Amino acid sequence: MNFELTDEQRQIRQTLTDFAEREIKPHAARWDRDQAFPREVFGQLGSLGFLGVAFPEPYGGAGADTLTQVVVVEGLARYDAGLALACAAHMSLASGHLAGFGSDAQRARYLPDLVAGRKIGAWCLTEPGSGSDAAAMTTRATRKGDNFILNGTKMFITNGGVADVYVVMAVSDPGAARTGISAFIVERGAKGLSTGRKIEKLGLRSSDTAEVILDNVAVPAASLIGEPGAGYAQALKVLEAGRIGIAGWATGIARGAMEEAAAYAKERRQFGQPIASFQAIQWMIADMATRIDAAWLLTGRAAALRDAGKPFAREASAAKLFASETAMWATTKAVQIHGGYGYVTDFPVERYMRDAKLAEIGEGTSEVQRMIIAKSLIKEGYLPA
Ligand SMILES: Cc1cc2nc3c(=O)[nH]c(=O)nc-3n(C[C@H](O)[C@H](O)[C@H](O)COP(=O)(O)OP(=O)(O)OC[C@H]3O[C@@H](n4cnc5c(N)ncnc54)[C@H](O)[C@@H]3O)c2cc1C
């Protein structure tokens, strides 16, 4: 196993850090307060090549590996988890679905703009009545001549209100259960496509989250991604890879919180000395650093397995589960280290703590990750079938 980043990955991380210190860190608190998605900065990330690191070169990407994309998501989440989530959903989910399962014509039509950040992608699986049990969706796709007619409502869609390209899962064959679900591309401006009420969130307020409503939206049959009925299997594969990104995202939040806590502890004096000299504080930071390292290593293992073409579902779930719980734990400790100042909006750690909670919910809750891991343990005979 190689535990080191390559020179190229180190360089990407450094360039991203320089950009984030300049263009993200000074504004993150305001975007959070105003619930403002920084579209312009998203575009800049695209033009600088960050959104395309892991996409094929013919579409404007850099053709790098999964870990390189994780380096980008982790590096962004360290400063602004909302913007980082917007990028992760755009890259791993929407663009990743098109790159992985789209036809050559679909890739050529959509990927160059998505990779360059000129267009934004959204990925629509969840519905008001179906989250963890995504296959229970009720959005329908009915064939009518050369078109499919989409009807239904998608819930909690990241970039839902700002996207240009939507990947939508819908039931095309109601009798066929999971193999009756297909995936479609819907473009912004399609008649009958709208977004519902603005969803007010606990955290990640610089990320746009919206209901996506499909009211008799006609899409050409050429918008179908892959075979009819392949949509659910595609979505599971997309989620499997997406979890590696979310593991990196959660690790980035934890790292950002640890850095803020350590810096504060060196400045803040009580009983005549910096609180960083108290063993109780040092141990909290030591535990943070250890858990962050472990989360990063689990994430790196899942990414390496994926790039080697080996099964990685359990490893991706383990990375996502551990990194999410690390993010929640570390951000709570970061607030603790700040004392009363951690509880107020003058310091960023309360935002990190609010943002971290989604890691335990999105792209499969922690309970769902444990179910996936347990299923694998059942297969190996550790648990009864
Ligand atoms: C900010 C945000 C962004 C999101 N972005 C997207 C997006 O871009 N695209 C998209 O499609 N979705 C998105 N989601 C949806 C997200 O993936 C779902 O919220 C998540 O999968 C959980 O589904 P749910 O909210 O319906 O919860 P439910 O599935 O109703 O779960 C409620 C509780 O029950 C537990 N539970 C459910 N089933 C079981 C079981 N079998 N055993 C044990 N416990 C169980 C869950 O773990 C959870 O604790 C987003 C959500 C949020 C909040």
Side-chain angles (χ1 to χ4, degrees), residues 123 125-126 131-132 156-158 201 358 361 363 365 367 371:
W123 193 75
L125 180 70
T126 306
S132 302
F156 296 138
I157 305 306
T158 300
K201 305 195 295 294
L358 190 267
I361 297 170
E363 294 199 30
T365 62
E367 291 73 29
M371 277 158 54

